Amino acid sequence: MRKYILFAMIIMSIMLLFWSCNRSAQQSVTTNSSTIEYTVKKTNLTDTVSVSGKIMAESSAEIKALVSGVVKKINVQEGDTVKAGDVLVELDDSDYRLSYLKALQNYETAKNSGSRLLVEQRQLELEIAKRDLDRCKITSPVDGVVTALNVKVGDYVSKGTSVDVVAKVISLDNLYVSAAVEEVDYSKVKVGQMATLAFDAFEGVNFPAQVTYVGSEAQSSSGIVTIPIKLKLVVQNLQMTTARTSSGTQGTSEDAQSMAQGFVGQSAAQRNELLKKIIPGLSCEVQIIVLAKNDVMIIPTAAVSFEGGKAYVNVKSGTTTEKREVTVGERTSGGYEIISGLNEGEVVVVNKTSSSSTNRGVQMNIPGFAPPR
């Protein structure tokens, strides 16, 4: 019995010793520090604001019956292209034609009576009768495509009811994106900035666009404050389009072209086919380029420290490092722009805390820079 007890105590002592050593080793790994060296180089600095949008038509019309009657003839089908003034639907105008003829006869009789007031009355009745007769031919007020046709021959349409909407015509020539930006990003978004649109319906293709409107009144929904904006597709002379950055300077649309290579890189015929498929109601993800600078020096955010309102970095000098004051400019999710204090080719040292238990380090999103794993 004593042998079993002694054997158990020996086993427990060994396990306790192993656990103590293992914990000590884990603590030493957790507190272990290393450094990352980043070579300063010039690159293009781009920052974006992401919003969700929806394709809308600048010009559209719900065409209603302005007089009551039975549908006698339908001249179009859904999907047809029409011009403003084209007759879409014709109503049986027999009653209205009779009313017009009676009004015309009364007007001619009144002219022979010599009463000025009676003439004016009969003339007004004639104009109303003519107007109602003309309204038996239901026309499109805009150029566009018939997207809905709600009647068929023999239907009775009644003025002033829900069935008075006969058809819907939408112009596909002036589509725009309706979106809203949250107040935290409101100050960054300006008219003229370039953007890209990504649709679920067109995988791998981003369409170039441009901000054309920023609302002057905020809206609130469920406690979230947003400002409405509009964007327009840019499909011609993309190379000549300019984009206003958040710093107020003008830059070319090279960044938008780069982000929209799936569209820009295609032939004119392929682009036209894609554009024909963009229709009102489609949802899209919008990336607005709010900052675009070329050939600027940028370093990881973690490389910059601040003391007394001044910015400092650790610069490698031979086998040692020196702490140097720098002037920083724009800050993005990628890092800090360095205006002065560093030269291209110099190496900055970034402290990095490593951990074997997670095998994760500080992630710094810098173009061309991938921290070692």
Side-chain angles (χ1 to χ4, degrees), residues 63-65 88-89 138 148-151 157 163-168:
I63 302 164
K64 301 182 179 182
L88 309 182
V89 175
I138 303 173
L149 193 60
N150 302 324
V151 295
V157 295
V163 292
D164 65 347
V165 179
V166 173
K168 186 173 183 179

Side-chain angles (χ1 to χ4, degrees), residues 29-37 302 349-355 359-364 369-373:
V29 170
T30 302
T31 56
N32 179 45
S33 296
S34 61
T35 58
I36 299 172
E37 295 182 355
V349 179
V350 186
N351 290 328
K352 174 189 176 185
T353 302
S354 62
S355 172
N359 196 29
R360 293 179 183 175
V362 178
Q363 297 296 316
M364 288 161 286
F369 174 70
R373 295 182 180 272

Side-chain angles (χ1 to χ4, degrees), residues 43 53 55 88 114 196 228 257 280 325 348:
T43 185
I55 295 293
L88 309 182
T196 58
Q257 291 184 67
E325 182 182 348
V348 295

Side-chain angles (χ1 to χ4, degrees), residues 257-309:
Q257 291 184 67
S258 176
M259 295 170 67
Q261 280 302 314
F263 176 80
V264 177
Q266 301 198 46
S267 67
Q270 290 173 321
R271 279 183 280 184
N272 286 334
E273 284 301 313
L274 283 171
L275 292 170
K276 287 179 182 178
K277 295 179 181 179
I278 296 180
I279 57 177
L282 286 182
S283 61
C284 60
E285 291 300 315
V286 183
Q287 294 281 341
I288 305 171
I289 303 172
V290 296
L291 175 65
K293 290 185 176 182
N294 298 329
D295 294 327
V296 297
M297 289 186 294
I298 183 172
I299 63 174
T301 304
V304 183
S305 61
F306 293 89
E307 296 178 15

Side-chain angles (χ1 to χ4, degrees), residues 147-282:
T147 59
L149 193 60
N150 302 324
V151 295
K152 60 182 181 297
V153 173
D155 284 352
Y156 181 83
V157 295
S158 180
K159 169 187 171 184
T161 65
S162 59
V163 292
D164 65 347
V165 179
V166 173
K168 186 173 183 179
V169 175
I170 293 178
S171 173
L172 301 181
D173 294 331
N174 296 299
L175 300 180
Y176 70 95
V177 178
S178 175
V181 60
E182 294 187 11
E183 60 179 330
V184 67
D185 294 320
Y186 165 63
S187 62
K188 302 177 185 178
V189 179
K190 305 285 191 302
V191 171
Q193 287 172 337
M194 296 300 297
T196 58
L197 312 177
F199 297 85
D200 288 339
F202 310 106
E203 187 175 354
V205 180
N206 291 329
F207 295 79
Q210 190 171 29
V211 179
T212 57
Y213 169 79
V214 178
S216 55
E217 182 178 5
Q219 301 173 350
S220 180
S221 176
S222 302
I224 300 176
V225 177
T226 59
I227 295 86
I229 63 172
K230 292 182 181 180
L231 302 97
K232 194 175 185 69
L233 282 164
V234 177
V235 295
Q236 294 179 343
N237 300 323
L238 182 59
Q239 291 80 2
M240 300 301 295
T241 306
T242 59
R244 183 177 298 278
T245 67
S246 62
S247 59
T249 59
Q250 292 286 335
T252 67
S253 60
E254 292 177 359
D255 295 283
Q257 291 184 67
S258 176
M259 295 170 67
Q261 280 302 314
F263 176 80
V264 177
Q266 301 198 46
S267 67
Q270 290 173 321
R271 279 183 280 184
N272 286 334
E273 284 301 313
L274 283 171
L275 292 170
K276 287 179 182 178
K277 295 179 181 179
I278 296 180
I279 57 177
L282 286 182

